[in-house]
Amino acid sequence: MLLLAKTKHLPLALDLSILNPQVLIGLFIGGMLPFLFSALTMSSVGKAAEKIVFEVRRQFQEIPGLMEGTAKPDYAACIDICTRSSLREMILPALIAIIAPLGVGLLLGSEGVIGLLSGCTVTGFVLAVMMANSGGAWDNAKKYVEEGNYGGKGSAAHKAAVVGDTVGDPFKDTAGPSLNILIKLVSMVSVVFASLILINSLLK
């Protein structure tokens, strides 16, 4: 597919066929981005949760009467951990979403960026829907078992459902919804720096 477009300074001919190596490489890179982004966000959730567990254990050990319910826990410490983690852990995923279209554009040109946007949108949308549905299913499965089905609480089915819900919660609450932001951010960066890419790309 050959697309002809005229810009203010120069005519632009785009070959958007998947036989074009620039488009194909961009498609592969764009298709990979949602999986890398999701892996980083889910890893961030695990790190933050681990810090919260250590903080809760510390408070149970150091605050007298907390286990008996006669003392109040330090809520601010847990909130501080969550806030700091949410800001710190999103630096790398955000940088990847900004650098990827810029890097592909400067190396492969506008055709590579178009391929990246296509691959990121297709795989990102499908992955987000899958994560939302599977995460909700795992969460509901745990609640279903806790109501007394398949042996109820304490059974092997309940232990398996808890493990599934541990993965399901970041699926439906973190990684899945954040993929919408990834798709939008990659698209906006590509549009904002379109002229820079057209002028300075290595492959015209």
Side-chain angles (χ1 to χ4, degrees):
M1 175 182 174
L2 184 63
L3 178 64
L4 296 176
K6 287 186 178 180
T7 63
K8 184 177 180 181
H9 300 289
L10 70 162
L12 180 64
L14 298 175
D15 179 11
L16 302 184
S17 169
I18 61 171
L19 298 177
N20 183 352
Q22 295 165 242
V23 175
L24 188 60
I25 294 172
L27 277 171
F28 281 128
I29 296 175
M32 174 204 68
L33 278 181
F35 293 93
L36 175 61
F37 191 84
S38 299
L40 290 173
T41 53
M42 290 193 66
S43 176
S44 300
V45 171
K47 292 177 184 177
E50 186 178 11
K51 292 178 182 178
I52 291 293
V53 169
F54 288 143
E55 174 61 23
V56 170
R57 287 178 178 173
R58 182 194 67 80
Q59 291 190 26
F60 275 126
Q61 293 172 357
E62 298 180 3
I63 300 178
L66 186 59
M67 186 70 74
E68 293 77 17
T70 57
K72 288 186 177 181
D74 184 7
Y75 298 110
C78 294
I79 294 172
D80 183 67
I81 291 173
C82 292
T83 304
R84 289 178 182 273
S85 296
S86 64
L87 296 174
R88 186 188 306 111
E89 295 295 334
M90 280 308 296
I91 293 175
L92 181 58
L95 284 176
I96 289 174
I98 295 171
I99 292 173
L102 274 175
V104 170
L106 294 175
L107 290 175
L108 302 176
S110 54
E111 294 167 349
V113 175
I114 293 172
L116 179 136
L117 291 175
S118 301
C120 183
T121 301
V122 171
T123 59
F125 174 76
V126 174
L127 189 62
V129 172
M130 183 276 292
M131 285 183 165
N133 288 324
S134 60
W138 276 325
D139 186 33
N140 291 334
K142 187 193 73 170
K143 294 175 182 177
Y144 185 72
V145 173
E146 287 177 347
E147 290 176 354
N149 300 287
Y150 297 104
K153 291 185 178 180
S155 64
H158 182 245
K159 293 177 182 177
V162 169
V163 173
D165 186 50
T166 304
V167 181
D169 279 338
F171 255 47
K172 67 182 178 63
D173 296 329
T174 305
S178 66
L179 286 174
N180 298 319
I181 299 172
L182 171 68
I183 296 171
K184 290 180 181 178
L185 183 57
V186 170
S187 301
M188 285 193 297
V189 170
S190 301
V191 171
V192 169
F193 292 100
S195 59
L196 175 70
I197 291 170
L198 284 172
I199 296 172
N200 298 296
S201 61
L202 295 178
L203 299 177
K204 301 295 183 181

